[in-house]
Amino acid sequence: MNSKVHGESFSEEVDGKSVRDTLVFTCDGQRFIMKTKPDQLAGILVEDVLPEQTEATMEAIERICWLLAFATQSQVACYGHDYPDGSPHKVRNSVHRAGQNADPVIEPADGSAIRMFVDQAYPQFKALEGTRSLKVVIDYMLQAARPGLPMECRLVFLSVLLENMKRTYGTQLQFAFKRGKFVDPVTKVPLGFQEMVKRMFGSEGMTPSLQPLVDLRNEVLHTGVASMTIQQQKAQYDAATDLIREYLLRLLGFKGNFLVSLAGGSVRTI
């Protein structure tokens, strides 16, 4: 697999040198021993996997890859695996997820922080990955962070991402959906984009000011361009990204420090 994270503990001495290259994740009652390499590659060893556990183990590794992708804001994918029992259980795949340099959510050089994040977030990620389309959410974040994109394109990606998050939130709560809008289950009043997003963030204890973001979203989606300066657009993009990071971390049950934009304060704690 490709990965930008560093290790937490040191491997045994090789040629008289100790290398901090090891992370051990504990997910689904299994230990996933990850060995990092200088060329941003890594391998994961899972011991004592029975043949009938192979598929479930590979699914767990895929979830770990998605969590690492979110943490580092860079594509992470497993390109193959071996099952060393003498049988032809060997798989190699082409990987089309190039890594990218974007502002991470969890510091990749802090192996302890990466391990704690994966261990904490994995259970909720597994529970919600389908109902809340978490792989789609993370992929849209990575697409928005791709280098070289015009700011309007970044904002469109985040707008579509918020629409997706809002839809899966309403669907999970089993809100009725009529004429393109969710309906309040008590008052039967249709709920617009801003109200649904407000409720979504509120469900995780967040009360952000959404009007500037909503205004910019409407302008970009309806006209294709923004009247704001690039600096103003960047400020709104950073604010939206910071909100999405915190919301997802809260949704996944994470407790600890995470990184945000310089305007947001650089580091926040949940």
Side-chain angles (χ1 to χ4, degrees):
M1 59 188 288
N2 58 315
S3 171
K4 300 177 68 174
V5 302
H6 294 199
E8 177 181 17
S9 59
F10 290 84
S11 64
E12 295 182 1
E13 291 190 3
V14 178
D15 297 329
K17 297 180 180 179
S18 295
V19 182
R20 186 166 61 89
D21 63 353
T22 305
L23 286 164
V24 181
F25 306 119
T26 305
C27 307
D28 285 336
Q30 291 178 296
R31 279 164 40 95
F32 295 81
I33 305 169
M34 180 174 174
K35 293 282 190 178
T36 64
K37 301 178 182 179
D39 50 3
Q40 296 191 4
L41 295 176
I44 290 182
L45 172 66
V46 190
E47 299 173 328
D48 302 322
V49 177
L50 299 175
E52 59 269 24
Q53 296 175 312
T54 303
E55 183 176 352
T57 300
M58 291 306 302
E59 289 173 353
I61 290 174
E62 183 182 14
R63 294 186 190 105
I64 291 172
C65 286
W66 279 105
L67 287 171
L68 291 176
F70 170 68
T72 62
Q73 287 296 287
S74 180
Q75 300 280 10
V76 179
C78 179
Y79 71 88
H81 71 273
D82 297 328
Y83 191 82
D85 64 346
S87 66
H89 290 171
K90 180 182 293 187
V91 175
R92 293 291 182 270
N93 299 308
S94 296
V95 175
H96 301 290
R97 296 181 184 176
Q100 62 190 36
N101 292 317
D103 295 330
V105 179
I106 308 294
E107 175 53 59
D110 189 342
S112 177
I114 291 291
R115 188 258 308 159
M116 290 175 60
F117 163 70
V118 172
D119 284 357
Q120 286 187 39
Y122 181 91
Q124 278 296 89
F125 185 90
K126 181 180 179 180
L128 299 174
E129 62 180 324
T131 55
R132 297 304 303 270
S133 298
L134 294 181
K135 295 176 184 177
V136 174
V137 170
I138 294 171
D139 192 56
Y140 264 115
M141 289 188 74
L142 299 181
Q143 295 293 344
R146 282 167 49 198
L149 284 182
M151 186 54 65
E152 284 88 352
C153 292
R154 298 185 190 278
L155 291 166
V156 167
F157 274 124
L158 287 191
S159 296
V160 176
L161 167 56
L162 286 169
E163 288 284 355
N164 176 266
M165 293 169 63
K166 179 252 306 181
R167 180 187 63 79
T168 59
Y169 166 74
T171 301
Q172 186 181 33
L173 293 181
Q174 299 183 328
F175 282 14
F177 191 76
K178 296 181 180 180
R179 298 179 181 178
K181 292 184 177 181
F182 286 103
V183 178
D184 187 290
V186 177
T187 65
K188 307 304 179 184
V189 173
L191 302 171
F193 171 82
Q194 185 168 349
E195 178 60 27
M196 279 299 295
V197 173
K198 177 182 177 181
R199 293 188 181 200
M200 182 186 76
F201 284 121
S203 68
E204 296 299 329
M206 300 171 64
T207 57
S209 176
L210 295 172
Q211 194 61 54
L213 174 61
V214 171
D215 290 343
L216 183 57
R217 164 207 178 257
N218 292 339
E219 183 178 24
V220 171
L221 289 183
H222 294 308
T223 69
V225 294
S227 58
M228 289 184 176
T229 65
I230 291 295
Q231 291 76 15
Q232 291 171 327
Q233 292 179 55
K234 178 66 164 54
Q236 287 301 319
Y237 171 80
D238 287 344
T241 301
D242 291 348
L243 284 177
I244 292 168
R245 290 179 179 211
E246 181 173 348
Y247 175 79
L248 289 174
L249 289 169
R250 289 176 178 271
L251 184 68
L252 293 172
F254 173 77
K255 300 293 184 183
N257 297 330
F258 66 100
L259 304 176
V260 292
S261 65
L262 290 175
S266 300
V267 178
R268 290 184 188 168
T269 303
I270 298 176

